[in-house]
Amino acid sequence: RMSKADKLAEIHETALRQFDTAYNASREDREASLAARRFVDIRGAQWDWDVAGDFAVRMKLEVNKVALACTRINNEYRANEIQALFIPKDGSAADPLADLCASRYRADFQDSLGKEARDNAFDEGIKGGMGAVRLRTEYEDEDKGTQRIAIEPIHDAATSVFFDANSKRKDKSDAGHCFLIRP
């Protein structure tokens, strides 16, 4: 029989092993994501490839069409914002439960940082391919035990969110675990 300290040490060891696997499996993709975002956002970053300094004394022109395209996509996104749609399984038009879920989602979305989280994830996604939001529960009324969903932004997801290396789906909904590194 294991002591509590031994169980915690085993859990910690497992978590470290899982994190190491998740980090190593996506390291190259994360570096490419950061380079892509840097290419779009930072003036002069288009010349980062010149590590030997071959163009150090030459004029470095920059025509940033990528940033303009990202701005256009972002403007189109904001003009046609994505909304959650709750529909019953049987496809019927009116369902009180679907209406309740939709109104609850809208309320939770407005009361938390839902818009900021969604916009940040979209922006990071179009610039570098990785964006994330955090969903967590918080008590609305601890005496009654009622909870609500808090939607929070995860800034710089490429360096702070690490999903199970065995997950196959693009949205990572099949991941067995996820690590969120916070400063």
PDB file of all heavy atoms in Angstrom, residues 47-73:
ATOM      1  N   TRP A  47      13.240  39.294 -42.401  1.00  0.00           N
ATOM      2  CA  TRP A  47      14.650  39.072 -42.740  1.00  0.00           C
ATOM      3  C   TRP A  47      15.357  38.231 -41.679  1.00  0.00           C
ATOM      4  O   TRP A  47      16.585  38.148 -41.662  1.00  0.00           O
ATOM      5  CB  TRP A  47      15.348  40.417 -42.924  1.00  0.00           C
ATOM      6  CG  TRP A  47      14.898  41.090 -44.173  1.00  0.00           C
ATOM      7  CD1 TRP A  47      13.846  41.953 -44.306  1.00  0.00           C
ATOM      8  CD2 TRP A  47      15.437  40.929 -45.471  1.00  0.00           C
ATOM      9  NE1 TRP A  47      13.701  42.347 -45.597  1.00  0.00           N
ATOM     10  CE2 TRP A  47      14.678  41.727 -46.350  1.00  0.00           C
ATOM     11  CE3 TRP A  47      16.489  40.190 -46.000  1.00  0.00           C
ATOM     12  CZ2 TRP A  47      14.928  41.808 -47.702  1.00  0.00           C
ATOM     13  CZ3 TRP A  47      16.757  40.271 -47.349  1.00  0.00           C
ATOM     14  CH2 TRP A  47      15.975  41.071 -48.181  1.00  0.00           C
ATOM     15  N   ASP A  48      14.625  37.577 -40.802  1.00  0.00           N
ATOM     16  CA  ASP A  48      15.237  36.751 -39.758  1.00  0.00           C
ATOM     17  C   ASP A  48      16.049  35.590 -40.326  1.00  0.00           C
ATOM     18  O   ASP A  48      16.934  35.067 -39.662  1.00  0.00           O
ATOM     19  CB  ASP A  48      14.173  36.202 -38.802  1.00  0.00           C
ATOM     20  CG  ASP A  48      13.686  37.250 -37.826  1.00  0.00           C
ATOM     21  OD1 ASP A  48      14.288  38.341 -37.757  1.00  0.00           O
ATOM     22  OD2 ASP A  48      12.688  36.972 -37.136  1.00  0.00           O
ATOM     23  N   TRP A  49      15.743  35.179 -41.520  1.00  0.00           N
ATOM     24  CA  TRP A  49      16.444  34.049 -42.130  1.00  0.00           C
ATOM     25  C   TRP A  49      17.905  34.379 -42.445  1.00  0.00           C
ATOM     26  O   TRP A  49      18.717  33.492 -42.630  1.00  0.00           O
ATOM     27  CB  TRP A  49      15.738  33.606 -43.414  1.00  0.00           C
ATOM     28  CG  TRP A  49      15.642  34.705 -44.435  1.00  0.00           C
ATOM     29  CD1 TRP A  49      14.620  35.600 -44.572  1.00  0.00           C
ATOM     30  CD2 TRP A  49      16.606  35.052 -45.424  1.00  0.00           C
ATOM     31  NE1 TRP A  49      14.883  36.483 -45.591  1.00  0.00           N
ATOM     32  CE2 TRP A  49      16.097  36.164 -46.137  1.00  0.00           C
ATOM     33  CE3 TRP A  49      17.850  34.538 -45.794  1.00  0.00           C
ATOM     34  CZ2 TRP A  49      16.791  36.769 -47.178  1.00  0.00           C
ATOM     35  CZ3 TRP A  49      18.529  35.146 -46.837  1.00  0.00           C
ATOM     36  CH2 TRP A  49      17.994  36.241 -47.517  1.00  0.00           C
ATOM     37  N   ASP A  50      18.253  35.650 -42.480  1.00  0.00           N
ATOM     38  CA  ASP A  50      19.617  36.063 -42.832  1.00  0.00           C
ATOM     39  C   ASP A  50      20.521  35.998 -41.595  1.00  0.00           C
ATOM     40  O   ASP A  50      21.040  37.005 -41.125  1.00  0.00           O
ATOM     41  CB  ASP A  50      19.597  37.471 -43.422  1.00  0.00           C
ATOM     42  CG  ASP A  50      20.967  37.923 -43.907  1.00  0.00           C
ATOM     43  OD1 ASP A  50      21.789  37.065 -44.250  1.00  0.00           O
ATOM     44  OD2 ASP A  50      21.202  39.150 -43.916  1.00  0.00           O
ATOM     45  N   VAL A  51      20.726  34.798 -41.060  1.00  0.00           N
ATOM     46  CA  VAL A  51      21.532  34.633 -39.854  1.00  0.00           C
ATOM     47  C   VAL A  51      23.024  34.845 -40.128  1.00  0.00           C
ATOM     48  O   VAL A  51      23.786  35.197 -39.228  1.00  0.00           O
ATOM     49  CB  VAL A  51      21.305  33.251 -39.202  1.00  0.00           C
ATOM     50  CG1 VAL A  51      19.908  33.148 -38.640  1.00  0.00           C
ATOM     51  CG2 VAL A  51      21.573  32.131 -40.179  1.00  0.00           C
ATOM     52  N   ALA A  52      23.463  34.622 -41.359  1.00  0.00           N
ATOM     53  CA  ALA A  52      24.879  34.812 -41.697  1.00  0.00           C
ATOM     54  C   ALA A  52      25.223  36.279 -41.900  1.00  0.00           C
ATOM     55  O   ALA A  52      26.396  36.635 -41.977  1.00  0.00           O
ATOM     56  CB  ALA A  52      25.219  34.013 -42.952  1.00  0.00           C
ATOM     57  N   GLY A  53      24.217  37.148 -41.997  1.00  0.00           N
ATOM     58  CA  GLY A  53      24.446  38.575 -42.185  1.00  0.00           C
ATOM     59  C   GLY A  53      24.841  38.951 -43.595  1.00  0.00           C
ATOM     60  O   GLY A  53      25.489  39.978 -43.807  1.00  0.00           O
ATOM     61  N   ASP A  54      24.438  38.137 -44.566  1.00  0.00           N
ATOM     62  CA  ASP A  54      24.772  38.415 -45.962  1.00  0.00           C
ATOM     63  C   ASP A  54      24.168  39.726 -46.451  1.00  0.00           C
ATOM     64  O   ASP A  54      24.698  40.354 -47.362  1.00  0.00           O
ATOM     65  CB  ASP A  54      24.302  37.265 -46.866  1.00  0.00           C
ATOM     66  CG  ASP A  54      25.032  35.968 -46.567  1.00  0.00           C
ATOM     67  OD1 ASP A  54      26.174  36.040 -46.054  1.00  0.00           O
ATOM     68  OD2 ASP A  54      24.467  34.897 -46.834  1.00  0.00           O
ATOM     69  N   PHE A  55      23.051  40.117 -45.860  1.00  0.00           N
ATOM     70  CA  PHE A  55      22.375  41.339 -46.291  1.00  0.00           C
ATOM     71  C   PHE A  55      22.490  42.443 -45.236  1.00  0.00           C
ATOM     72  O   PHE A  55      21.710  43.383 -45.231  1.00  0.00           O
ATOM     73  CB  PHE A  55      20.905  41.040 -46.595  1.00  0.00           C
ATOM     74  CG  PHE A  55      20.698  40.204 -47.812  1.00  0.00           C
ATOM     75  CD1 PHE A  55      20.784  38.819 -47.751  1.00  0.00           C
ATOM     76  CD2 PHE A  55      20.429  40.793 -49.028  1.00  0.00           C
ATOM     77  CE1 PHE A  55      20.607  38.051 -48.883  1.00  0.00           C
ATOM     78  CE2 PHE A  55      20.253  40.031 -50.167  1.00  0.00           C
ATOM     79  CZ  PHE A  55      20.342  38.654 -50.096  1.00  0.00           C
ATOM     80  N   ALA A  56      23.472  42.349 -44.371  1.00  0.00           N
ATOM     81  CA  ALA A  56      23.603  43.302 -43.265  1.00  0.00           C
ATOM     82  C   ALA A  56      23.842  44.725 -43.754  1.00  0.00           C
ATOM     83  O   ALA A  56      23.354  45.676 -43.141  1.00  0.00           O
ATOM     84  CB  ALA A  56      24.730  42.871 -42.333  1.00  0.00           C
ATOM     85  N   VAL A  57      24.575  44.878 -44.848  1.00  0.00           N
ATOM     86  CA  VAL A  57      24.892  46.225 -45.335  1.00  0.00           C
ATOM     87  C   VAL A  57      24.068  46.598 -46.564  1.00  0.00           C
ATOM     88  O   VAL A  57      24.379  47.569 -47.244  1.00  0.00           O
ATOM     89  CB  VAL A  57      26.401  46.355 -45.646  1.00  0.00           C
ATOM     90  CG1 VAL A  57      27.210  46.246 -44.375  1.00  0.00           C
ATOM     91  CG2 VAL A  57      26.830  45.328 -46.663  1.00  0.00           C
ATOM     92  N   ARG A  58      23.047  45.814 -46.829  1.00  0.00           N
ATOM     93  CA  ARG A  58      22.206  46.104 -47.998  1.00  0.00           C
ATOM     94  C   ARG A  58      20.823  46.565 -47.543  1.00  0.00           C
ATOM     95  O   ARG A  58      20.381  46.289 -46.435  1.00  0.00           O
ATOM     96  CB  ARG A  58      22.064  44.847 -48.857  1.00  0.00           C
ATOM     97  CG  ARG A  58      23.406  44.432 -49.407  1.00  0.00           C
ATOM     98  CD  ARG A  58      23.267  43.320 -50.356  1.00  0.00           C
ATOM     99  NE  ARG A  58      24.594  42.955 -50.854  1.00  0.00           N
ATOM    100  CZ  ARG A  58      24.821  41.931 -51.604  1.00  0.00           C
ATOM    101  NH1 ARG A  58      23.832  41.151 -51.962  1.00  0.00           N
ATOM    102  NH2 ARG A  58      26.031  41.658 -52.015  1.00  0.00           N
ATOM    103  N   MET A  59      20.158  47.226 -48.458  1.00  0.00           N
ATOM    104  CA  MET A  59      18.810  47.681 -48.172  1.00  0.00           C
ATOM    105  C   MET A  59      17.879  46.472 -48.103  1.00  0.00           C
ATOM    106  O   MET A  59      17.915  45.601 -48.970  1.00  0.00           O
ATOM    107  CB  MET A  59      18.337  48.645 -49.268  1.00  0.00           C
ATOM    108  CG  MET A  59      16.978  49.209 -48.989  1.00  0.00           C
ATOM    109  SD  MET A  59      16.500  50.549 -50.097  1.00  0.00           S
ATOM    110  CE  MET A  59      16.865  49.933 -51.693  1.00  0.00           C
ATOM    111  N   LYS A  60      17.078  46.410 -47.064  1.00  0.00           N
ATOM    112  CA  LYS A  60      16.151  45.296 -46.872  1.00  0.00           C
ATOM    113  C   LYS A  60      14.727  45.803 -47.067  1.00  0.00           C
ATOM    114  O   LYS A  60      14.143  46.404 -46.170  1.00  0.00           O
ATOM    115  CB  LYS A  60      16.306  44.706 -45.475  1.00  0.00           C
ATOM    116  CG  LYS A  60      17.671  44.109 -45.219  1.00  0.00           C
ATOM    117  CD  LYS A  60      17.757  43.597 -43.797  1.00  0.00           C
ATOM    118  CE  LYS A  60      19.123  43.055 -43.496  1.00  0.00           C
ATOM    119  NZ  LYS A  60      19.245  42.604 -42.120  1.00  0.00           N
ATOM    120  N   LEU A  61      14.184  45.543 -48.229  1.00  0.00           N
ATOM    121  CA  LEU A  61      12.817  45.957 -48.518  1.00  0.00           C
ATOM    122  C   LEU A  61      11.842  45.003 -47.846  1.00  0.00           C
ATOM    123  O   LEU A  61      12.113  43.813 -47.692  1.00  0.00           O
ATOM    124  CB  LEU A  61      12.572  45.973 -50.018  1.00  0.00           C
ATOM    125  CG  LEU A  61      13.415  46.967 -50.816  1.00  0.00           C
ATOM    126  CD1 LEU A  61      13.129  46.812 -52.293  1.00  0.00           C
ATOM    127  CD2 LEU A  61      13.143  48.382 -50.353  1.00  0.00           C
ATOM    128  N   GLU A  62      10.718  45.543 -47.485  1.00  0.00           N
ATOM    129  CA  GLU A  62       9.705  44.733 -46.834  1.00  0.00           C
ATOM    130  C   GLU A  62       8.346  45.103 -47.406  1.00  0.00           C
ATOM    131  O   GLU A  62       7.925  46.255 -47.318  1.00  0.00           O
ATOM    132  CB  GLU A  62       9.733  44.979 -45.332  1.00  0.00           C
ATOM    133  CG  GLU A  62       8.777  44.116 -44.571  1.00  0.00           C
ATOM    134  CD  GLU A  62       8.977  44.261 -43.071  1.00  0.00           C
ATOM    135  OE1 GLU A  62      10.118  44.212 -42.598  1.00  0.00           O
ATOM    136  OE2 GLU A  62       7.962  44.433 -42.381  1.00  0.00           O
ATOM    137  N   VAL A  63       7.687  44.133 -48.012  1.00  0.00           N
ATOM    138  CA  VAL A  63       6.332  44.320 -48.517  1.00  0.00           C
ATOM    139  C   VAL A  63       5.466  43.334 -47.748  1.00  0.00           C
ATOM    140  O   VAL A  63       5.452  42.144 -48.035  1.00  0.00           O
ATOM    141  CB  VAL A  63       6.249  44.055 -50.042  1.00  0.00           C
ATOM    142  CG1 VAL A  63       4.839  44.281 -50.534  1.00  0.00           C
ATOM    143  CG2 VAL A  63       7.235  44.939 -50.775  1.00  0.00           C
ATOM    144  N   ASN A  64       4.790  43.835 -46.751  1.00  0.00           N
ATOM    145  CA  ASN A  64       4.093  42.955 -45.826  1.00  0.00           C
ATOM    146  C   ASN A  64       2.659  42.697 -46.270  1.00  0.00           C
ATOM    147  O   ASN A  64       1.715  43.239 -45.716  1.00  0.00           O
ATOM    148  CB  ASN A  64       4.131  43.540 -44.417  1.00  0.00           C
ATOM    149  CG  ASN A  64       3.832  42.490 -43.374  1.00  0.00           C
ATOM    150  OD1 ASN A  64       3.386  41.390 -43.686  1.00  0.00           O
ATOM    151  ND2 ASN A  64       4.086  42.823 -42.131  1.00  0.00           N
ATOM    152  N   LYS A  65       2.503  41.857 -47.277  1.00  0.00           N
ATOM    153  CA  LYS A  65       1.168  41.499 -47.750  1.00  0.00           C
ATOM    154  C   LYS A  65       0.483  40.517 -46.821  1.00  0.00           C
ATOM    155  O   LYS A  65      -0.733  40.427 -46.785  1.00  0.00           O
ATOM    156  CB  LYS A  65       1.263  40.915 -49.160  1.00  0.00           C
ATOM    157  CG  LYS A  65       1.632  41.936 -50.195  1.00  0.00           C
ATOM    158  CD  LYS A  65       1.493  41.380 -51.576  1.00  0.00           C
ATOM    159  CE  LYS A  65       1.711  42.486 -52.582  1.00  0.00           C
ATOM    160  NZ  LYS A  65       1.264  42.123 -53.897  1.00  0.00           N
ATOM    161  N   VAL A  66       1.273  39.777 -46.063  1.00  0.00           N
ATOM    162  CA  VAL A  66       0.693  38.795 -45.138  1.00  0.00           C
ATOM    163  C   VAL A  66      -0.085  39.505 -44.037  1.00  0.00           C
ATOM    164  O   VAL A  66      -1.197  39.106 -43.695  1.00  0.00           O
ATOM    165  CB  VAL A  66       1.794  37.890 -44.550  1.00  0.00           C
ATOM    166  CG1 VAL A  66       1.214  36.920 -43.540  1.00  0.00           C
ATOM    167  CG2 VAL A  66       2.512  37.139 -45.656  1.00  0.00           C
ATOM    168  N   ALA A  67       0.481  40.571 -43.471  1.00  0.00           N
ATOM    169  CA  ALA A  67      -0.218  41.312 -42.422  1.00  0.00           C
ATOM    170  C   ALA A  67      -1.505  41.921 -42.954  1.00  0.00           C
ATOM    171  O   ALA A  67      -2.531  41.930 -42.264  1.00  0.00           O
ATOM    172  CB  ALA A  67       0.678  42.394 -41.838  1.00  0.00           C
ATOM    173  N   LEU A  68      -1.481  42.413 -44.192  1.00  0.00           N
ATOM    174  CA  LEU A  68      -2.693  42.985 -44.788  1.00  0.00           C
ATOM    175  C   LEU A  68      -3.763  41.909 -44.976  1.00  0.00           C
ATOM    176  O   LEU A  68      -4.949  42.148 -44.734  1.00  0.00           O
ATOM    177  CB  LEU A  68      -2.358  43.658 -46.118  1.00  0.00           C
ATOM    178  CG  LEU A  68      -1.446  44.875 -46.043  1.00  0.00           C
ATOM    179  CD1 LEU A  68      -1.082  45.355 -47.439  1.00  0.00           C
ATOM    180  CD2 LEU A  68      -2.098  45.971 -45.238  1.00  0.00           C
ATOM    181  N   ALA A  69      -3.340  40.729 -45.389  1.00  0.00           N
ATOM    182  CA  ALA A  69      -4.293  39.624 -45.558  1.00  0.00           C
ATOM    183  C   ALA A  69      -4.874  39.204 -44.212  1.00  0.00           C
ATOM    184  O   ALA A  69      -6.082  38.943 -44.099  1.00  0.00           O
ATOM    185  CB  ALA A  69      -3.616  38.444 -46.240  1.00  0.00           C
ATOM    186  N   CYS A  70      -4.042  39.151 -43.184  1.00  0.00           N
ATOM    187  CA  CYS A  70      -4.530  38.793 -41.847  1.00  0.00           C
ATOM    188  C   CYS A  70      -5.512  39.838 -41.330  1.00  0.00           C
ATOM    189  O   CYS A  70      -6.534  39.494 -40.722  1.00  0.00           O
ATOM    190  CB  CYS A  70      -3.363  38.629 -40.877  1.00  0.00           C
ATOM    191  SG  CYS A  70      -2.366  37.166 -41.167  1.00  0.00           S
ATOM    192  N   THR A  71      -5.231  41.102 -41.587  1.00  0.00           N
ATOM    193  CA  THR A  71      -6.148  42.171 -41.181  1.00  0.00           C
ATOM    194  C   THR A  71      -7.480  42.043 -41.912  1.00  0.00           C
ATOM    195  O   THR A  71      -8.546  42.208 -41.311  1.00  0.00           O
ATOM    196  CB  THR A  71      -5.515  43.551 -41.461  1.00  0.00           C
ATOM    197  OG1 THR A  71      -4.295  43.639 -40.728  1.00  0.00           O
ATOM    198  CG2 THR A  71      -6.439  44.677 -41.064  1.00  0.00           C
ATOM    199  N   ARG A  72      -7.429  41.732 -43.207  1.00  0.00           N
ATOM    200  CA  ARG A  72      -8.661  41.553 -43.983  1.00  0.00           C
ATOM    201  C   ARG A  72      -9.479  40.384 -43.428  1.00  0.00           C
ATOM    202  O   ARG A  72     -10.692  40.492 -43.229  1.00  0.00           O
ATOM    203  CB  ARG A  72      -8.334  41.309 -45.455  1.00  0.00           C
ATOM    204  CG  ARG A  72      -9.566  41.185 -46.343  1.00  0.00           C
ATOM    205  CD  ARG A  72      -9.217  40.877 -47.787  1.00  0.00           C
ATOM    206  NE  ARG A  72      -8.326  39.736 -47.964  1.00  0.00           N
ATOM    207  CZ  ARG A  72      -8.700  38.468 -47.912  1.00  0.00           C
ATOM    208  NH1 ARG A  72      -9.946  38.159 -47.664  1.00  0.00           N
ATOM    209  NH2 ARG A  72      -7.828  37.500 -48.092  1.00  0.00           N
ATOM    210  N   ILE A  73      -8.833  39.274 -43.163  1.00  0.00           N
ATOM    211  CA  ILE A  73      -9.534  38.102 -42.615  1.00  0.00           C
ATOM    212  C   ILE A  73     -10.133  38.438 -41.252  1.00  0.00           C
ATOM    213  O   ILE A  73     -11.279  38.077 -40.955  1.00  0.00           O
ATOM    214  CB  ILE A  73      -8.573  36.902 -42.519  1.00  0.00           C
ATOM    215  CG1 ILE A  73      -8.202  36.424 -43.910  1.00  0.00           C
ATOM    216  CG2 ILE A  73      -9.193  35.766 -41.713  1.00  0.00           C
ATOM    217  CD1 ILE A  73      -7.054  35.430 -43.938  1.00  0.00           C
TER     218      ILE A  73
END
